[in-house]
Amino acid sequence: KRLSPALNTRTNLCFRSYNWAMSQLEAVNKRLQDLMTYSATMTFAAPVIGSVLAPTFHGRSTLDATQPLFLAALTIFMLSAFLGVAFRAAGTILVVDPNLLFQRWLKDGEWQFKKDMIAFAGEHYSENLNLINRRGRVADFMTALILLEAALIASWIATAI
């Protein structure tokens, strides 16, 4: 069969969809990593900042690390970190396996190969988009958790001042 220019264009779009998916997944993974780093920094810096701001009573800080506000903030930090690690590890991006193409589709003509490549890319695009969106929603949820954690830490420090 004679190849149409539209088929060549669509095949090029397929390869670009894989590049797009990889760049989007890298961006959402970076966002998850940045959120985990920010949360850890805030959590571990809170006692130090609090001890500087809180007054002392007979040489001891009035800041108590066993207060429910601080324990709640620690729990939220652990939940946020767990979600970030778990969702970064869950799922992988789908791409066409060149070995599979060699074994099953090398015998087909160029037209059939390109048509099948478009079909694979469409299936993979949907799955990859679901993976990216799922991680993006987790990053949004982690952002809300981190804001709640910051409010709890600020309240914990404010109760000691």
Side-chain angles (χ1 to χ4, degrees), residues 4-157:
S4 72
L7 187 62
N8 285 331
T9 301
R10 289 184 184 110
T11 306
N12 289 337
L13 286 173
C14 293
F15 292 114
R16 281 187 278 182
S17 74
Y18 287 112
N19 289 336
W20 174 86
M22 288 299 295
S23 69
Q24 293 300 307
L25 190 65
E26 287 173 6
V28 77
N29 281 342
K30 182 181 180 325
R31 185 172 169 214
L32 288 170
Q33 185 63 47
D34 290 348
L35 286 168
M36 289 186 292
T37 302
Y38 179 74
S39 180
T41 302
M42 181 176 57
T43 302
F44 295 123
V48 175
I49 294 169
S51 66
V52 169
L53 296 176
T56 57
F57 184 72
H58 296 307
R60 295 190 62 189
S61 175
T62 57
L63 198 63
D64 182 10
T66 61
Q67 285 183 335
L69 288 172
F70 184 69
L71 295 177
L74 280 178
T75 303
I76 289 173
F77 162 70
M78 289 186 289
L79 174 63
S80 179
F82 172 78
L83 286 173
V85 170
F87 276 86
R88 280 197 67 197
T92 58
I93 198 157
L94 296 177
V95 293
V96 174
D97 180 1
N99 191 36
L100 182 66
L101 292 177
F102 174 76
Q103 292 173 358
R104 293 191 184 164
W105 282 274
L106 192 60
K107 64 187 179 311
D108 294 335
E110 185 179 4
W111 187 88
Q112 184 66 37
F113 172 80
K114 287 186 176 186
K115 185 179 82 58
D116 290 343
M117 185 67 192
I118 292 169
F120 288 137
E123 292 172 15
H124 293 167
Y125 180 82
S126 296
E127 290 296 319
N128 292 338
L129 189 60
N130 286 337
L131 175 67
I132 292 163
N133 287 336
R134 197 169 35 252
R135 288 187 186 177
R137 285 189 298 273
V138 168
D140 292 341
F141 183 65
M142 285 174 62
T143 301
L145 287 176
I146 290 168
L147 290 173
L148 178 59
E149 178 189 359
L152 289 169
I153 287 172
S155 298
W156 173 63
I157 293 172

